[in-house]
Amino acid sequence: MASSAAAKSPVTIRLCGPRGFCAGVDRAIQIVVLALKEFGAPVYVRHEIVHNRYVVEGLEAKGAIFVEELDEIPLEHRKQPVVFSAHGVPKSVPADADARNLFYLDATCPLVSKVHKQAMRHHRLGRHVVLIGHAGHPEVIGTMGQLPEGAVSLVETVEDADVYMPPDPDNLGFVTQTTLSVDDTAGVIKRLHERFPNLTAPAADSICYATTNRQEAVKQAAPGCDLFLIVGAPNSSNSKRLVEVALRAGAKKSVLVQRASEIDWEAIGDISTVGLSAGASAPEVIVNEIIEAFRERYDAAVELADTVEENENFLVNREIRHVELTAADMAFVNGE
């Protein structure tokens, strides 16, 4: 064992902070866990509660059932709670739940709800709303679904901004998806402002603090990294943006992985410095799993690359606030 350990190549792992769960994701998972404790299984969840398969499977093991639409909930379970995901839903979804006499708990991130309010304010003041975001993303569908059809136009790229033709160029307001790259979004907003000088910004920045903080930490850690690993799901917008940020900031290579088992150890090659961060819906238990996988193969030293400390905490729904949440309840994502 001693000779094997001596043969391991040294590697420094730059572990970014903040990383992983943001307050909105943490709250959404807690809502499902607390609903299961209070009401018993099953608790239904419309769409993935957050974009992470490990989290979804962990909640399924506790008794959550994930459905795409509310009509999938069987009649005999109509008294059981249904939870709406952290990404937010169109107004038609709670209206449908009310029509079906379903008891629902809305786990929409408060920062996504803030974007909904910003869009509604633009609309109320007579502005056409420009939403900067990715087509088909649940958050974009939810935001567009807050307003009447035709009241929101989606712009994804600078190229889209170049050709966008609004109904009234002098009466526009914009909002953005919360999980975008700060740098990419700035380019789109700049182009829209150049074309439409009267474009009105939202009252506060739409991109959430957690997205910005994780991107800044990756930017600072990336220079000199031979490899930068981002823990996250392929359908997680904020995780994919972190891969792009790492590459732009100087990492030689950046890869998105869901588990340690996805790392292609043969393709890694000769490395001395590895960056490691996690998207806002990726659990800390997988970050630890990846660090252990490196320690098995390398003489790995962990170097903390912290930028700011996050202490935000969003309260869960009033109906379940009295239920005790223990460390054991969340160990499946946070570790022991």
Side-chain angles (χ1 to χ4, degrees):
M1 287 294 288
S3 60
S4 171
K8 290 180 181 178
S9 302
V11 162
T12 298
I13 299 173
R14 288 182 188 164
L15 182 61
C16 288
R19 64 182 175 276
F21 284 176
C22 61
V25 164
D26 207 26
R27 172 181 179 268
I29 296 166
Q30 287 176 19
I31 288 170
V32 180
V33 170
L34 291 171
L36 283 162
K37 288 186 79 169
E38 176 71 358
F39 303 105
V43 165
Y44 286 84
V45 185
R46 184 185 177 276
H47 290 334
E48 289 186 333
I49 186 69
V50 296
H51 282 155
N52 190 277
R53 193 67 223 157
Y54 181 94
V55 172
V56 168
E57 289 173 357
L59 291 171
E60 284 175 333
K62 289 177 175 288
I65 297 176
F66 290 81
V67 295
E68 286 304 300
E69 298 300 341
L70 300 181
D71 60 10
E72 296 173 47
I73 300 173
L75 284 171
E76 64 269 23
H77 289 159
R78 289 294 167 92
K79 297 297 182 188
Q80 291 297 106
V82 58
V83 180
F84 301 152
S85 83
H87 307 105
V89 294
K91 280 186 173 178
S92 58
V93 173
D96 184 25
D98 287 335
R100 297 174 186 275
N101 289 320
L102 295 174
F103 166 51
Y104 63 85
L105 296 167
D106 190 351
T108 300
C109 172
L111 299 179
V112 173
S113 296
K114 184 179 79 171
V115 175
H116 292 178
K117 293 186 179 97
Q118 291 169 344
M120 289 187 282
R121 183 174 186 274
H122 281 318
H123 182 67
R124 190 173 66 251
L125 294 173
R127 301 172 192 137
H128 184 80
V129 179
V130 179
L131 170 59
I132 302 166
H134 296 302
H137 190 280
E139 185 186 324
V140 166
I141 294 168
T143 300
M144 295 184 80
Q146 302 305 305
L147 296 174
E149 193 169 345
V152 185
S153 297
L154 181 65
V155 172
E156 295 193 63
T157 62
V158 173
E159 290 73 24
D160 289 346
D162 279 332
V163 298
Y164 173 56
M165 298 298 291
D168 181 355
D170 292 322
N171 223 359
L172 294 173
F174 78 87
V175 294
T176 74
Q177 184 180 329
T178 63
T179 55
L180 300 180
S181 159
V182 177
D183 295 337
D184 288 348
T185 309
V188 177
I189 294 169
K190 180 174 181 288
R191 187 67 189 111
L192 286 169
H193 268 303
E194 288 169 353
R195 293 194 61 212
F196 313 110
N198 292 330
L199 177 71
T200 303
D205 191 9
S206 298
I207 295 177
C208 86
Y209 75 89
T211 299
T212 303
N213 288 349
R214 279 149 192 72
Q215 289 177 14
E216 286 301 317
V218 167
K219 276 183 193 176
Q220 291 199 28
C225 283
D226 304 299
L227 172 67
F228 213 111
L229 293 175
I230 303 295
V231 183
N235 59 340
S236 167
S237 174
N238 77 87
S239 299
K240 290 195 289 187
R241 300 294 81 75
L242 289 177
V243 172
E244 297 164 2
V245 167
L247 289 170
R248 277 204 295 258
K252 291 178 185 173
K253 184 178 180 182
S254 185
V255 181
L256 184 71
V257 294
Q258 297 187 82
R259 300 293 301 271
S261 58
E262 291 185 8
I263 298 172
D264 187 348
W265 299 102
E266 298 298 320
I268 282 180
D270 187 23
I271 57 172
S272 62
T273 306
V274 176
L276 179 58
S277 187
S281 47
E284 184 68 7
V285 68
I286 298 180
V287 173
N288 295 334
E289 174 187 281
I290 287 172
I291 291 171
E292 288 309 309
F294 269 92
R295 283 177 170 151
E296 287 171 13
R297 295 164 175 83
Y298 297 88
D299 179 15
V302 175
E303 176 185 285
L304 297 180
D306 292 340
T307 51
V308 299
E309 183 180 344
E310 290 179 351
N311 50 24
E312 284 78 8
N313 179 44
F314 297 143
L315 291 174
V316 299
N317 311 69
R318 190 172 285 104
E319 297 91 334
I320 51 175
R321 221 170 273 172
H322 65 280
V323 184
E324 183 188 9
L325 184 75
T326 67
D329 292 328
M330 298 293 286
F332 75 107
V333 286
N334 293 338
E336 299 299 334

